Every structure is written in structure tokens, then in C-alpha cells.
Amino acid sequence: LVRLWKGEQSLELPAILRLANLQVQRKNSADAIKNFEKGVEILLNQEKPEAKLVSDFTKDFSKTLINENQTASAIQFLNKIINKFGEQLPMAEEKYLLGDLYFKNGETKNAERAWQQIKDDSTGIYQKMAQEKLQQAKWDEGYKKHIKRIPAMSKSEEFK
């Protein structure tokens, strides 16, 4: 079908998404990633794609890359999509995911920047989760500083 629809990208992208998801289900992630990459090219060439299609495509491709331990590729992909469609489509979940990937890599500043872009979160849940993670990171940082001082204190006479 994709060959028949060549040139009609609005029809081609859902078929590529479905094919890639089937390949993921059959544990053929390498081929799925290749198809997702074809879909990225098509998606980035569209001016006003359907919001649900962009969301589904972004979630599925990101999840596949993360499951294949290609976090750097997932970050790069999410940045491309958010830069292209972040202002015109609701992408709160994708922005949260990008920040979460940065956060898990220990890049707290980049995570904070990604999470600050979340403005289209109608429920506010992604903003709340991001704030909780940032507060936890600040608390952990203070706790680590405190713990690092304890061994120095144990050498004093009072603790022996």
C-alpha cells in the first residue's frame, strides 16, 4: 500500500506507523526503527499533520528507542519533533518524556528546560510530576552534601 500511495504522505504515515508497530510486536526492532525513521522524514515534511498521529508516532518511536537502549537517539528525535510542532500541537506528554530522559541521564538543567516548555498541559499533571522530580533532585543534592560530611565528623573524639 505504501508504494501505491507514494507522494500522498497523509496516507503513507499511518501505514508506516502500523508496520513499525507490528515489527516491534514481532521483536524485529531493527526493521521497526528503520520504518520509524522513514516516517520521521515524512512527518517533518508535513506542515499541519494530525495531532493524534503525531502523538502516537512520537510515543511509539520513543518507546522503541528507549527499549533498545538508544536514549540519545530518543532525545534527538523528541527534540526534532518538539522544535517542529511544539507550538502548534499539544505536546505536554512528549515534552515531559524529553525532560525525563534528560533527568535519568543526570542532565538536570536540560530536564528543567524541557519541562519549562510544558504549557499545553490541560490537567497540569505533567507539570506537577516535573516539579516533584526537580524538588526531589534538589533534596537529594543537599542530602549528598550532608552525607559526605559525616565521615569527616566520625574521626573526631566525640564519635569514638
PDB file of all heavy atoms in Angstrom, residues 7-38:
ATOM      1  N   GLY A   7       3.881   9.627  -2.595  1.00  0.00           N
ATOM      2  CA  GLY A   7       3.564  11.016  -2.891  1.00  0.00           C
ATOM      3  C   GLY A   7       2.396  11.536  -2.076  1.00  0.00           C
ATOM      4  O   GLY A   7       2.280  12.721  -1.861  1.00  0.00           O
ATOM      5  N   GLU A   8       1.543  10.666  -1.598  1.00  0.00           N
ATOM      6  CA  GLU A   8       0.410  11.071  -0.762  1.00  0.00           C
ATOM      7  C   GLU A   8       0.784  10.775   0.692  1.00  0.00           C
ATOM      8  O   GLU A   8       0.407   9.761   1.264  1.00  0.00           O
ATOM      9  CB  GLU A   8      -0.851  10.300  -1.166  1.00  0.00           C
ATOM     10  CG  GLU A   8      -2.112  10.772  -0.498  1.00  0.00           C
ATOM     11  CD  GLU A   8      -2.481  12.192  -0.870  1.00  0.00           C
ATOM     12  OE1 GLU A   8      -2.331  12.567  -2.046  1.00  0.00           O
ATOM     13  OE2 GLU A   8      -2.896  12.937   0.032  1.00  0.00           O
ATOM     14  N   GLN A   9       1.566  11.692   1.280  1.00  0.00           N
ATOM     15  CA  GLN A   9       2.152  11.444   2.580  1.00  0.00           C
ATOM     16  C   GLN A   9       1.133  11.338   3.710  1.00  0.00           C
ATOM     17  O   GLN A   9       1.375  10.652   4.690  1.00  0.00           O
ATOM     18  CB  GLN A   9       3.177  12.522   2.908  1.00  0.00           C
ATOM     19  CG  GLN A   9       4.372  12.463   1.996  1.00  0.00           C
ATOM     20  CD  GLN A   9       5.393  13.524   2.309  1.00  0.00           C
ATOM     21  OE1 GLN A   9       5.097  14.501   2.983  1.00  0.00           O
ATOM     22  NE2 GLN A   9       6.594  13.338   1.816  1.00  0.00           N
ATOM     23  N   SER A  10      -0.003  11.967   3.566  1.00  0.00           N
ATOM     24  CA  SER A  10      -1.005  11.877   4.619  1.00  0.00           C
ATOM     25  C   SER A  10      -1.539  10.456   4.741  1.00  0.00           C
ATOM     26  O   SER A  10      -1.987  10.043   5.804  1.00  0.00           O
ATOM     27  CB  SER A  10      -2.150  12.851   4.353  1.00  0.00           C
ATOM     28  OG  SER A  10      -2.788  12.520   3.140  1.00  0.00           O
ATOM     29  N   LEU A  11      -1.491   9.690   3.669  1.00  0.00           N
ATOM     30  CA  LEU A  11      -1.922   8.295   3.698  1.00  0.00           C
ATOM     31  C   LEU A  11      -0.780   7.356   4.071  1.00  0.00           C
ATOM     32  O   LEU A  11      -0.998   6.288   4.641  1.00  0.00           O
ATOM     33  CB  LEU A  11      -2.487   7.888   2.329  1.00  0.00           C
ATOM     34  CG  LEU A  11      -3.703   8.656   1.831  1.00  0.00           C
ATOM     35  CD1 LEU A  11      -4.032   8.250   0.412  1.00  0.00           C
ATOM     36  CD2 LEU A  11      -4.887   8.439   2.747  1.00  0.00           C
ATOM     37  N   GLU A  12       0.420   7.751   3.750  1.00  0.00           N
ATOM     38  CA  GLU A  12       1.583   6.904   3.932  1.00  0.00           C
ATOM     39  C   GLU A  12       1.987   6.760   5.397  1.00  0.00           C
ATOM     40  O   GLU A  12       2.347   5.659   5.843  1.00  0.00           O
ATOM     41  CB  GLU A  12       2.744   7.514   3.132  1.00  0.00           C
ATOM     42  CG  GLU A  12       3.785   6.545   2.718  1.00  0.00           C
ATOM     43  CD  GLU A  12       4.781   7.176   1.760  1.00  0.00           C
ATOM     44  OE1 GLU A  12       4.445   8.116   1.015  1.00  0.00           O
ATOM     45  OE2 GLU A  12       5.919   6.712   1.781  1.00  0.00           O
ATOM     46  N   LEU A  13       1.933   7.830   6.159  1.00  0.00           N
ATOM     47  CA  LEU A  13       2.432   7.819   7.532  1.00  0.00           C
ATOM     48  C   LEU A  13       1.684   6.847   8.449  1.00  0.00           C
ATOM     49  O   LEU A  13       2.334   6.102   9.188  1.00  0.00           O
ATOM     50  CB  LEU A  13       2.424   9.232   8.103  1.00  0.00           C
ATOM     51  CG  LEU A  13       3.193   9.427   9.403  1.00  0.00           C
ATOM     52  CD1 LEU A  13       4.642   9.007   9.241  1.00  0.00           C
ATOM     53  CD2 LEU A  13       3.117  10.879   9.844  1.00  0.00           C
ATOM     54  N   PRO A  14       0.350   6.787   8.432  1.00  0.00           N
ATOM     55  CA  PRO A  14      -0.321   5.795   9.297  1.00  0.00           C
ATOM     56  C   PRO A  14       0.055   4.351   8.952  1.00  0.00           C
ATOM     57  O   PRO A  14       0.174   3.509   9.849  1.00  0.00           O
ATOM     58  CB  PRO A  14      -1.811   6.045   9.039  1.00  0.00           C
ATOM     59  CG  PRO A  14      -1.888   7.438   8.532  1.00  0.00           C
ATOM     60  CD  PRO A  14      -0.617   7.657   7.778  1.00  0.00           C
ATOM     61  N   ALA A  15       0.260   4.065   7.680  1.00  0.00           N
ATOM     62  CA  ALA A  15       0.656   2.708   7.273  1.00  0.00           C
ATOM     63  C   ALA A  15       2.053   2.386   7.777  1.00  0.00           C
ATOM     64  O   ALA A  15       2.310   1.261   8.248  1.00  0.00           O
ATOM     65  CB  ALA A  15       0.586   2.581   5.760  1.00  0.00           C
ATOM     66  N   ILE A  16       2.952   3.343   7.709  1.00  0.00           N
ATOM     67  CA  ILE A  16       4.318   3.130   8.214  1.00  0.00           C
ATOM     68  C   ILE A  16       4.296   2.923   9.719  1.00  0.00           C
ATOM     69  O   ILE A  16       4.990   2.050  10.251  1.00  0.00           O
ATOM     70  CB  ILE A  16       5.229   4.310   7.812  1.00  0.00           C
ATOM     71  CG1 ILE A  16       5.493   4.272   6.305  1.00  0.00           C
ATOM     72  CG2 ILE A  16       6.534   4.281   8.585  1.00  0.00           C
ATOM     73  CD1 ILE A  16       6.239   5.470   5.769  1.00  0.00           C
ATOM     74  N   LEU A  17       3.486   3.696  10.413  1.00  0.00           N
ATOM     75  CA  LEU A  17       3.365   3.556  11.866  1.00  0.00           C
ATOM     76  C   LEU A  17       2.853   2.162  12.234  1.00  0.00           C
ATOM     77  O   LEU A  17       3.399   1.497  13.110  1.00  0.00           O
ATOM     78  CB  LEU A  17       2.436   4.638  12.431  1.00  0.00           C
ATOM     79  CG  LEU A  17       2.137   4.562  13.927  1.00  0.00           C
ATOM     80  CD1 LEU A  17       3.405   4.718  14.747  1.00  0.00           C
ATOM     81  CD2 LEU A  17       1.122   5.635  14.313  1.00  0.00           C
ATOM     82  N   ARG A  18       1.834   1.720  11.540  1.00  0.00           N
ATOM     83  CA  ARG A  18       1.269   0.387  11.821  1.00  0.00           C
ATOM     84  C   ARG A  18       2.287  -0.711  11.520  1.00  0.00           C
ATOM     85  O   ARG A  18       2.442  -1.655  12.301  1.00  0.00           O
ATOM     86  CB  ARG A  18       0.009   0.184  10.994  1.00  0.00           C
ATOM     87  CG  ARG A  18      -0.653  -1.151  11.234  1.00  0.00           C
ATOM     88  CD  ARG A  18      -2.140  -1.076  11.040  1.00  0.00           C
ATOM     89  NE  ARG A  18      -2.770  -2.371  10.940  1.00  0.00           N
ATOM     90  CZ  ARG A  18      -2.957  -3.206  11.953  1.00  0.00           C
ATOM     91  NH1 ARG A  18      -2.552  -2.871  13.157  1.00  0.00           N
ATOM     92  NH2 ARG A  18      -3.552  -4.368  11.776  1.00  0.00           N
ATOM     93  N   LEU A  19       2.983  -0.600  10.402  1.00  0.00           N
ATOM     94  CA  LEU A  19       4.008  -1.583  10.039  1.00  0.00           C
ATOM     95  C   LEU A  19       5.107  -1.634  11.102  1.00  0.00           C
ATOM     96  O   LEU A  19       5.516  -2.715  11.543  1.00  0.00           O
ATOM     97  CB  LEU A  19       4.599  -1.247   8.668  1.00  0.00           C
ATOM     98  CG  LEU A  19       5.778  -2.115   8.208  1.00  0.00           C
ATOM     99  CD1 LEU A  19       5.357  -3.570   8.055  1.00  0.00           C
ATOM    100  CD2 LEU A  19       6.332  -1.570   6.898  1.00  0.00           C
ATOM    101  N   ALA A  20       5.584  -0.477  11.520  1.00  0.00           N
ATOM    102  CA  ALA A  20       6.654  -0.426  12.524  1.00  0.00           C
ATOM    103  C   ALA A  20       6.177  -1.038  13.846  1.00  0.00           C
ATOM    104  O   ALA A  20       6.928  -1.779  14.494  1.00  0.00           O
ATOM    105  CB  ALA A  20       7.106   1.014  12.727  1.00  0.00           C
ATOM    106  N   ASN A  21       4.942  -0.759  14.238  1.00  0.00           N
ATOM    107  CA  ASN A  21       4.420  -1.338  15.485  1.00  0.00           C
ATOM    108  C   ASN A  21       4.289  -2.854  15.386  1.00  0.00           C
ATOM    109  O   ASN A  21       4.548  -3.565  16.364  1.00  0.00           O
ATOM    110  CB  ASN A  21       3.086  -0.699  15.857  1.00  0.00           C
ATOM    111  CG  ASN A  21       3.279   0.674  16.468  1.00  0.00           C
ATOM    112  OD1 ASN A  21       4.274   0.938  17.120  1.00  0.00           O
ATOM    113  ND2 ASN A  21       2.320   1.548  16.248  1.00  0.00           N
ATOM    114  N   LEU A  22       3.906  -3.344  14.236  1.00  0.00           N
ATOM    115  CA  LEU A  22       3.845  -4.801  14.041  1.00  0.00           C
ATOM    116  C   LEU A  22       5.242  -5.419  14.133  1.00  0.00           C
ATOM    117  O   LEU A  22       5.415  -6.497  14.702  1.00  0.00           O
ATOM    118  CB  LEU A  22       3.203  -5.138  12.698  1.00  0.00           C
ATOM    119  CG  LEU A  22       1.693  -4.915  12.598  1.00  0.00           C
ATOM    120  CD1 LEU A  22       1.215  -5.085  11.155  1.00  0.00           C
ATOM    121  CD2 LEU A  22       0.950  -5.877  13.514  1.00  0.00           C
ATOM    122  N   GLN A  23       6.226  -4.736  13.596  1.00  0.00           N
ATOM    123  CA  GLN A  23       7.594  -5.235  13.664  1.00  0.00           C
ATOM    124  C   GLN A  23       8.102  -5.238  15.104  1.00  0.00           C
ATOM    125  O   GLN A  23       8.818  -6.150  15.508  1.00  0.00           O
ATOM    126  CB  GLN A  23       8.514  -4.408  12.760  1.00  0.00           C
ATOM    127  CG  GLN A  23       8.248  -4.668  11.293  1.00  0.00           C
ATOM    128  CD  GLN A  23       8.967  -3.704  10.383  1.00  0.00           C
ATOM    129  OE1 GLN A  23       9.131  -2.533  10.698  1.00  0.00           O
ATOM    130  NE2 GLN A  23       9.390  -4.211   9.222  1.00  0.00           N
ATOM    131  N   VAL A  24       7.716  -4.249  15.882  1.00  0.00           N
ATOM    132  CA  VAL A  24       8.098  -4.217  17.294  1.00  0.00           C
ATOM    133  C   VAL A  24       7.459  -5.397  18.022  1.00  0.00           C
ATOM    134  O   VAL A  24       8.113  -6.074  18.826  1.00  0.00           O
ATOM    135  CB  VAL A  24       7.693  -2.883  17.949  1.00  0.00           C
ATOM    136  CG1 VAL A  24       7.820  -2.943  19.462  1.00  0.00           C
ATOM    137  CG2 VAL A  24       8.540  -1.741  17.399  1.00  0.00           C
ATOM    138  N   GLN A  25       6.187  -5.661  17.744  1.00  0.00           N
ATOM    139  CA  GLN A  25       5.495  -6.785  18.379  1.00  0.00           C
ATOM    140  C   GLN A  25       6.153  -8.120  18.036  1.00  0.00           C
ATOM    141  O   GLN A  25       6.161  -9.035  18.846  1.00  0.00           O
ATOM    142  CB  GLN A  25       4.029  -6.826  17.950  1.00  0.00           C
ATOM    143  CG  GLN A  25       3.195  -5.728  18.545  1.00  0.00           C
ATOM    144  CD  GLN A  25       1.767  -5.750  18.009  1.00  0.00           C
ATOM    145  OE1 GLN A  25       1.422  -6.519  17.126  1.00  0.00           O
ATOM    146  NE2 GLN A  25       0.949  -4.855  18.548  1.00  0.00           N
ATOM    147  N   ARG A  26       6.705  -8.221  16.847  1.00  0.00           N
ATOM    148  CA  ARG A  26       7.361  -9.462  16.414  1.00  0.00           C
ATOM    149  C   ARG A  26       8.842  -9.473  16.794  1.00  0.00           C
ATOM    150  O   ARG A  26       9.609 -10.286  16.276  1.00  0.00           O
ATOM    151  CB  ARG A  26       7.206  -9.641  14.915  1.00  0.00           C
ATOM    152  CG  ARG A  26       5.769  -9.894  14.534  1.00  0.00           C
ATOM    153  CD  ARG A  26       5.642 -10.101  13.055  1.00  0.00           C
ATOM    154  NE  ARG A  26       4.260 -10.348  12.723  1.00  0.00           N
ATOM    155  CZ  ARG A  26       3.818 -11.481  12.216  1.00  0.00           C
ATOM    156  NH1 ARG A  26       4.648 -12.448  11.950  1.00  0.00           N
ATOM    157  NH2 ARG A  26       2.542 -11.630  11.953  1.00  0.00           N
ATOM    158  N   LYS A  27       9.239  -8.564  17.663  1.00  0.00           N
ATOM    159  CA  LYS A  27      10.622  -8.488  18.170  1.00  0.00           C
ATOM    160  C   LYS A  27      11.641  -8.212  17.070  1.00  0.00           C
ATOM    161  O   LYS A  27      12.768  -8.671  17.113  1.00  0.00           O
ATOM    162  CB  LYS A  27      11.005  -9.769  18.912  1.00  0.00           C
ATOM    163  CG  LYS A  27      10.031 -10.217  19.978  1.00  0.00           C
ATOM    164  CD  LYS A  27      10.276  -9.515  21.265  1.00  0.00           C
ATOM    165  CE  LYS A  27       9.484 -10.124  22.395  1.00  0.00           C
ATOM    166  NZ  LYS A  27       8.313  -9.425  22.784  1.00  0.00           N
ATOM    167  N   ASN A  28      11.230  -7.446  16.065  1.00  0.00           N
ATOM    168  CA  ASN A  28      12.109  -7.066  14.970  1.00  0.00           C
ATOM    169  C   ASN A  28      12.329  -5.548  15.048  1.00  0.00           C
ATOM    170  O   ASN A  28      11.945  -4.808  14.153  1.00  0.00           O
ATOM    171  CB  ASN A  28      11.478  -7.474  13.635  1.00  0.00           C
ATOM    172  CG  ASN A  28      12.448  -7.349  12.488  1.00  0.00           C
ATOM    173  OD1 ASN A  28      13.564  -6.862  12.663  1.00  0.00           O
ATOM    174  ND2 ASN A  28      12.025  -7.778  11.314  1.00  0.00           N
ATOM    175  N   SER A  29      12.956  -5.131  16.136  1.00  0.00           N
ATOM    176  CA  SER A  29      13.102  -3.702  16.409  1.00  0.00           C
ATOM    177  C   SER A  29      13.994  -2.983  15.409  1.00  0.00           C
ATOM    178  O   SER A  29      13.779  -1.804  15.120  1.00  0.00           O
ATOM    179  CB  SER A  29      13.642  -3.484  17.819  1.00  0.00           C
ATOM    180  OG  SER A  29      12.710  -3.947  18.760  1.00  0.00           O
ATOM    181  N   ALA A  30      14.989  -3.670  14.868  1.00  0.00           N
ATOM    182  CA  ALA A  30      15.900  -3.020  13.911  1.00  0.00           C
ATOM    183  C   ALA A  30      15.133  -2.543  12.674  1.00  0.00           C
ATOM    184  O   ALA A  30      15.297  -1.392  12.238  1.00  0.00           O
ATOM    185  CB  ALA A  30      17.023  -3.967  13.523  1.00  0.00           C
ATOM    186  N   ASP A  31      14.278  -3.412  12.125  1.00  0.00           N
ATOM    187  CA  ASP A  31      13.476  -3.011  10.964  1.00  0.00           C
ATOM    188  C   ASP A  31      12.426  -1.972  11.339  1.00  0.00           C
ATOM    189  O   ASP A  31      12.121  -1.072  10.561  1.00  0.00           O
ATOM    190  CB  ASP A  31      12.793  -4.231  10.326  1.00  0.00           C
ATOM    191  CG  ASP A  31      13.778  -5.112   9.579  1.00  0.00           C
ATOM    192  OD1 ASP A  31      14.872  -4.621   9.232  1.00  0.00           O
ATOM    193  OD2 ASP A  31      13.455  -6.285   9.342  1.00  0.00           O
ATOM    194  N   ALA A  32      11.893  -2.107  12.550  1.00  0.00           N
ATOM    195  CA  ALA A  32      10.899  -1.136  13.017  1.00  0.00           C
ATOM    196  C   ALA A  32      11.519   0.259  13.100  1.00  0.00           C
ATOM    197  O   ALA A  32      10.910   1.242  12.667  1.00  0.00           O
ATOM    198  CB  ALA A  32      10.346  -1.547  14.382  1.00  0.00           C
ATOM    199  N   ILE A  33      12.727   0.341  13.618  1.00  0.00           N
ATOM    200  CA  ILE A  33      13.408   1.633  13.736  1.00  0.00           C
ATOM    201  C   ILE A  33      13.647   2.232  12.351  1.00  0.00           C
ATOM    202  O   ILE A  33      13.474   3.439  12.148  1.00  0.00           O
ATOM    203  CB  ILE A  33      14.714   1.494  14.550  1.00  0.00           C
ATOM    204  CG1 ILE A  33      14.361   1.243  16.028  1.00  0.00           C
ATOM    205  CG2 ILE A  33      15.600   2.728  14.398  1.00  0.00           C
ATOM    206  CD1 ILE A  33      15.528   0.901  16.909  1.00  0.00           C
ATOM    207  N   LYS A  34      14.010   1.395  11.378  1.00  0.00           N
ATOM    208  CA  LYS A  34      14.199   1.902  10.013  1.00  0.00           C
ATOM    209  C   LYS A  34      12.895   2.481   9.462  1.00  0.00           C
ATOM    210  O   LYS A  34      12.894   3.535   8.823  1.00  0.00           O
ATOM    211  CB  LYS A  34      14.702   0.785   9.085  1.00  0.00           C
ATOM    212  CG  LYS A  34      16.129   0.375   9.339  1.00  0.00           C
ATOM    213  CD  LYS A  34      16.534  -0.774   8.447  1.00  0.00           C
ATOM    214  CE  LYS A  34      17.920  -1.286   8.819  1.00  0.00           C
ATOM    215  NZ  LYS A  34      18.274  -2.484   8.059  1.00  0.00           N
ATOM    216  N   ASN A  35      11.785   1.788   9.707  1.00  0.00           N
ATOM    217  CA  ASN A  35      10.494   2.303   9.243  1.00  0.00           C
ATOM    218  C   ASN A  35      10.084   3.561   9.992  1.00  0.00           C
ATOM    219  O   ASN A  35       9.539   4.493   9.395  1.00  0.00           O
ATOM    220  CB  ASN A  35       9.413   1.223   9.353  1.00  0.00           C
ATOM    221  CG  ASN A  35       9.509   0.233   8.223  1.00  0.00           C
ATOM    222  OD1 ASN A  35       9.617   0.618   7.067  1.00  0.00           O
ATOM    223  ND2 ASN A  35       9.504  -1.039   8.549  1.00  0.00           N
ATOM    224  N   PHE A  36      10.336   3.588  11.287  1.00  0.00           N
ATOM    225  CA  PHE A  36      10.047   4.805  12.050  1.00  0.00           C
ATOM    226  C   PHE A  36      10.854   5.983  11.495  1.00  0.00           C
ATOM    227  O   PHE A  36      10.349   7.095  11.385  1.00  0.00           O
ATOM    228  CB  PHE A  36      10.372   4.618  13.538  1.00  0.00           C
ATOM    229  CG  PHE A  36       9.293   3.971  14.343  1.00  0.00           C
ATOM    230  CD1 PHE A  36       9.550   2.830  15.083  1.00  0.00           C
ATOM    231  CD2 PHE A  36       8.011   4.515  14.404  1.00  0.00           C
ATOM    232  CE1 PHE A  36       8.559   2.236  15.862  1.00  0.00           C
ATOM    233  CE2 PHE A  36       7.012   3.929  15.167  1.00  0.00           C
ATOM    234  CZ  PHE A  36       7.288   2.783  15.899  1.00  0.00           C
ATOM    235  N   GLU A  37      12.119   5.734  11.135  1.00  0.00           N
ATOM    236  CA  GLU A  37      12.954   6.805  10.585  1.00  0.00           C
ATOM    237  C   GLU A  37      12.409   7.322   9.253  1.00  0.00           C
ATOM    238  O   GLU A  37      12.470   8.521   8.979  1.00  0.00           O
ATOM    239  CB  GLU A  37      14.402   6.329  10.459  1.00  0.00           C
ATOM    240  CG  GLU A  37      15.080   6.194  11.809  1.00  0.00           C
ATOM    241  CD  GLU A  37      16.434   5.521  11.768  1.00  0.00           C
ATOM    242  OE1 GLU A  37      16.789   4.911  10.719  1.00  0.00           O
ATOM    243  OE2 GLU A  37      17.144   5.583  12.786  1.00  0.00           O
ATOM    244  N   LYS A  38      11.865   6.411   8.418  1.00  0.00           N
ATOM    245  CA  LYS A  38      11.203   6.851   7.180  1.00  0.00           C
ATOM    246  C   LYS A  38      10.010   7.738   7.532  1.00  0.00           C
ATOM    247  O   LYS A  38       9.760   8.748   6.883  1.00  0.00           O
ATOM    248  CB  LYS A  38      10.718   5.649   6.365  1.00  0.00           C
ATOM    249  CG  LYS A  38      11.784   4.850   5.705  1.00  0.00           C
ATOM    250  CD  LYS A  38      11.169   3.660   4.976  1.00  0.00           C
ATOM    251  CE  LYS A  38      12.219   2.667   4.549  1.00  0.00           C
ATOM    252  NZ  LYS A  38      11.621   1.441   3.999  1.00  0.00           N
TER     253      LYS A  38
END
